[in-house]
């Protein structure tokens, strides 16, 4: 959500800023801008719209070796040229890019000279004007200004009086330093740095850093020097792209057989019929003491948590619940010693998830993370966890990371199950199922043309419903989420049992209903729900792993059947999830939507 890139060094800065912005565009894409120190003057170019609009506006004669760039997801003020970052002071001496929200912006404005001219409606611009009231050391000016701010920030500042210096700061919104050879970078996200360096330093909240081509210094808000070591990150993803496919989303869907293999790699312990999850930092003795589990996440990560809750509860017989992270933290939750808390996040930076993690730890709870982004804030703050190793996810809609979350939960369910009632034989059967998961996902990918035809038939629907029962309900929720966010077709999920208590009133011959029909004990009941929809004329798309007579019955009732391989409760959510991703993808493509960057959304929601 909003991206920052900054560079100081020997190279021409403009191409580096533009490349960084291209890699950050998925974090926000309603406007972009850059400021460069060029011949001791700050030159700023900004544009509403995507990066190509900025590129067409930029004058190639702006040269320089130090600059900052930003891609925005609007919070304060509409996406216009003026509201785009960087923001400058009245004399154009200082330029600032800011991620986050300033809560006391009115009080800060009141501290400024009334003649001070504001050019935007943003909260961020006030920082540039406050900085301009200071002369002397830029680092001190930034620290003094930040001490006045109530709110969150990830920040980068340049000043024409310090032409090769960048000051960055963090409070609640990530900033990472990239250490190069006589050059230094900073960004809100590793994606923008990985082409230039694998040496990174994560700023912690309350830290401010000064970057010059020769190095960096970090201090805290009370001016204590913070000694920070650079860590080496694996850079194999530096050239991650669409892989020749029309969209990142498509690549990320079809990559899933491989990404699931990566999540499972080295973690299936056939000798002891269990999962090997060293990163949990928990011994069997600790696991056996767990009396309850609470899973926290936002959006699709929350839906993965709901599916994970069913997996763990059914194998380990421990009560497990999943909650939206923000709801949890604001209800002043009771934190218990024998409860295990799990936060789930692709980016590892989602503000509400991070805040819930901090709330639990502040109250003494033990928190595990299921995270994709290595070295992210959540990954660094949890007590232990499981990396998904799904690789970068660029498309805003989560697909392979969602499946990575499910796979990580299935490993955790196996491990916890084996500390309780799951026998070695059952453990081995689960391991075999998990090993078959990549192949079963490939079988779903093979029926893409059939799914594309169904998508095309219903693409003009105003609304669609997804229904599922118990384990099928989280699958329905995520299916509806994918459809609404990328196709903009209104889609809602309901527990199948709830249909007749209200939602059935909405069913007509114009509302396709996707019915999730796992081959489980509840199949006859879910078939009855399907009959209720058919009786009201609703077109039914049945997504099922049923075989034999029940499959025949489903085929007679449904208008369309998407048949997926049969699987157990640990792997079916991922298998069915892929079919629903394809349904959403083809609906969006046939409607001509911007599938990788859907309207109003952004990846990695680092504001509240
Ligand atoms: C939906 C989607 C979002 C994210 C949510 C949490 O496709 O991508 O709902 O799942 O914003 O993001 P992370 O997993 O980064 O915490």
């Amino acid at each position: 959500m909003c991206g920052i890139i900054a560079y100081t060094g020997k190279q021409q800065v403009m191409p580096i800023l533009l490349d960084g912005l291209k890699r950050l565009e998925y974090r926000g894409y309603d406007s972009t801008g850059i400021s460069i120190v060029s011949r001791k003057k700050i030159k700023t170019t900004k544009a509403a719209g995507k990066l190509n609009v900025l590129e067409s506006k930029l004058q190639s004669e702006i040269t320089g070796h130090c600059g900052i760039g930003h891609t925005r997801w609007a919070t304060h003020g509409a996406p216009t040229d003026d509201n785009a970052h960087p923001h400058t002071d009245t004399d154009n001496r200082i330029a600032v890019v800011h991620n986050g929200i300033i809560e006391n912006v009115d009080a800060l404005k009141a501290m400024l000279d009334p003649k001070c001219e504001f050019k935007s409606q943003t909260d961020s611009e006030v920082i540039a004007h406050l900085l301009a009231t200071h002369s002397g050391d830029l680092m001190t000016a930034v620290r003094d200004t930040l001490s006045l701010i109530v709110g969150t920030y990830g920040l980068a500042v340049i000043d024409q009086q310090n032409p090769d210096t960048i000051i960055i700061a963090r409070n609640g919104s990530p900033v990472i330093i990239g250490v190069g050879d006589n050059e230094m970078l900073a960004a809100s996200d590793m994606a923008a740095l990985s082409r230039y360096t694998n040496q990174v330093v994560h700023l912690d909240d309350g830290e401010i850093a000064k970057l010059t081509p020769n190095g960096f210094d970090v201090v805290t808000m009370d001016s204590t020097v913070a000694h920070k070591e650079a860590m080496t990150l694996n850079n194999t993803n530096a050239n991650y792209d669409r892989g020749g496919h029309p969209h990142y989303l498509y690549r990320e869907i079809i990559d899933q057989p491989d990404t699931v293999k990566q999540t499972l790699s080295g973690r299936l312990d056939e000798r002891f019929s269990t999962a090997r999850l060293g990163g949990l930092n928990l011994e069997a003795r600790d696991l056996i003491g767990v009396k309850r589990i609470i899973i926290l996440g936002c959006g699709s990560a929350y839906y993965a948590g709901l599916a994970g809750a069913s997996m763990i509860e059914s194998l380990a017989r421990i009560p497990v619940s999943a909650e939206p992270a923000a709801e949890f933290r604001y209800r002043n939750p009771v934190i218990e010693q024998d409860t295990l808390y799990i936060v789930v996040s692709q980016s590892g930076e989602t503000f509400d998830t991070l805040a819930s993690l901090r709330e639990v730890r502040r109250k003494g709870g033990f928190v595990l993370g299921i995270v994709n982004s290595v070295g992210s804030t959540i990954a660094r703050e949890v007590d232990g966890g499981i990396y998904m190793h799904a690789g970068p996810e660029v498309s805003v809609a989560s697909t392979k990371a969602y499946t990575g979350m499910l796979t990580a939960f299935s490993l955790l369910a196996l491990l916890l199950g084996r500390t309780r009632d799951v026998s070695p034989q059952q453990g081995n059967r689960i391991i075999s199922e998990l090993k078959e998961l990549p192949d079963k996902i490939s079988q779903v990918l093979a029926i893409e043309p059939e799914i594309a035809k169904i998508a095309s038939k219903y693409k003009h629907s105003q609304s669609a419903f997804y229904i599922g029962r118990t384990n099928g309900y989280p699958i329905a929720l995520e299916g509806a989420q994918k459809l609404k966010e990328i196709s903009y077709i209104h889609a809602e999920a309901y527990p199948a049992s709830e249909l007749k208590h209200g939602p059935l009133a909405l069913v007509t011959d114009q509302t396709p209903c996707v019915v999730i029909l796992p081959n489980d004990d509840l199949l006859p009941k879910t078939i009855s729900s399907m009959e209720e929809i058919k009786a009201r004329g609703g077109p039914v798309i049945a997504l099922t792993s049923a075989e034999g007579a029940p499959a025949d019955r489903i085929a007679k009732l449904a208008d369309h059947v998407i048949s997926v391989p049969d699987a157990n409760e640990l792997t079916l959510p991922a298998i069915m999830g892929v079919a629903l991703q394809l349904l959403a993808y083809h609906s969006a493509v046939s409607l001509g939507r911007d599938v990788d960057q859907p309207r109003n959304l952004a990846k990695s929601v680092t504001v509240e």
Side-chain angles (χ1 to χ4, degrees), residues 513-568:
C513 299
V514 178
V515 184
I516 312 296
L517 295 140
N519 189 16
D520 60 17
D521 294 345
L522 298 172
L523 183 61
K525 290 198 182 302
T526 316
I527 293 178
S528 303
S529 306
M530 197 164 93
E531 306 220 31
E532 287 167 11
I533 296 165
K534 281 309 301 172
R536 276 81 188 172
V540 167
I541 302 162
L543 173 58
T544 185
S545 55
E547 292 164 343
D552 295 342
R553 175 99 195 99
I554 291 167
K556 268 201 199 108
L557 279 170
D559 296 83
H560 309 274
V561 180
I562 303 173
S563 253
V564 298
D566 197 7
N568 66 9

Side-chain angles (χ1 to χ4, degrees), residues 242-254:
R242 288 197 296 266
H245 300 293
H247 304 105
Y248 278 103
L249 186 64
Y250 189 70
R251 176 189 174 160
E252 288 162 6
I253 292 173
I254 66 167

Side-chain angles (χ1 to χ4, degrees), residues 152-475:
T152 54
Y153 48 80
L155 199 74
V157 178
I158 52 173
D159 174 358
Q160 65 190 24
Q161 291 173 354
N162 297 265
D164 66 354
T165 302
I166 300 166
I167 306 291
I168 56 171
R170 168 184 173 141
N171 183 39
S173 193
V175 191
I176 309 167
I177 303 173
V179 182
D181 187 10
N182 290 320
E183 57 185 9
M184 300 293 293
L185 297 103
S188 50
D189 188 321
M190 192 52 212
L193 302 178
S194 54
R195 285 188 91 185
Y196 303 96
T197 181
N198 63 356
Q199 298 295 305
V200 299
V201 178
H202 292 268
L203 280 199
D204 289 314
D205 280 352
E207 289 181 338
I208 309 171
K210 174 179 176 174
L211 314 184
T212 62
N214 302 325
F216 67 91
D217 296 309
V218 184
V219 295
T220 58
M221 284 295 279
D222 61 7
S223 298
T224 309
V225 174
H227 296 285
K228 313 268 298 191
E229 293 283 323
M231 62 189 263
T232 306
L233 284 187
N234 167 357
N235 245 358
T236 49
N237 296 321
N239 293 319
Y240 183 74
D241 59 18
R242 288 197 296 266
H245 300 293
H247 304 105
Y248 278 103
L249 186 64
Y250 189 70
R251 176 189 174 160
E252 288 162 6
I253 292 173
I254 66 167
D255 271 358
Q256 289 177 104
D258 289 333
T259 59
V260 167
K261 279 186 201 151
Q262 285 160 213
T263 310
L264 293 175
S265 176
R267 287 165 164 171
L268 295 175
D269 181 345
E270 293 180 78
R271 190 159 158 231
F272 294 109
S273 322
T274 186
R276 209 182 285 119
L277 296 170
L280 297 186
N281 300 329
L282 290 170
E283 303 291 329
R285 212 171 287 125
D286 303 314
L287 294 175
I288 198 74
V290 173
K291 296 281 177 294
R292 186 181 149 88
I293 296 179
I294 297 182
I295 302 170
L296 305 167
C298 299
S300 293
Y302 160 56
Y303 299 150
L306 287 171
S310 300
M311 293 178 196
I312 299 172
E313 202 163 274
S314 75
L315 276 199
R317 304 308 298 150
I318 309 171
V320 191
S321 56
E323 269 187 63
E327 298 297 312
F328 175 80
R329 81 179 174 106
Y330 277 125
R331 68 175 172 77
N332 191 18
V334 176
I335 303 299
E336 290 173 312
Q337 281 290 309
D338 49 11
T339 298
L340 180 63
Y341 298 86
I342 305 177
V343 290
V344 195
S345 176
Q346 186 288 126
S347 60
E349 302 292 351
T350 300
F351 186 90
D352 286 323
T353 311
L354 177 60
S356 69
L357 150 67
R358 289 176 174 166
E359 177 71 6
V360 176
R361 294 200 76 235
R362 199 177 296 120
K363 290 178 163 176
F366 186 93
V367 189
L368 292 180
I370 293 184
V371 175
N372 194 33
S373 202
V374 176
S376 56
T377 310
I378 291 177
R380 286 181 295 122
E381 292 196 16
V382 285
D383 295 295
I386 308 173
Y387 272 126
M388 295 168 217
H389 297 308
E393 189 179 70
V394 169
S395 189
V396 165
S398 189
T399 51
K400 64 176 181 174
Y402 167 78
T403 302
M405 292 167 189
L406 297 177
T407 311
F409 273 121
S410 61
L411 288 165
L412 187 60
L414 171 60
L415 179 68
L416 285 161
R418 286 285 292 124
T419 63
R420 289 169 162 79
D421 290 346
V422 173
S423 66
Q425 293 74 12
Q426 197 189 347
N428 280 337
R429 280 195 297 276
I430 292 167
I431 289 179
S432 303
E433 272 286 341
L434 286 169
K435 282 163 77 179
E436 286 170 15
L437 178 58
D439 184 53
K440 289 185 177 175
I441 291 177
S442 298
Q443 291 175 47
V444 177
L445 294 173
I447 57 167
E448 181 189 347
E450 287 169 42
I451 297 176
K453 261 194 219 147
I454 301 171
S456 161
K457 175 153 189 199
Y458 294 107
K459 67 180 180 186
H460 292 302
S461 306
Q462 296 293 311
S463 283
F465 300 115
Y466 288 65
I467 63 159
R469 195 176 288 273
T470 64
N471 296 341
Y473 178 50
I475 301 174

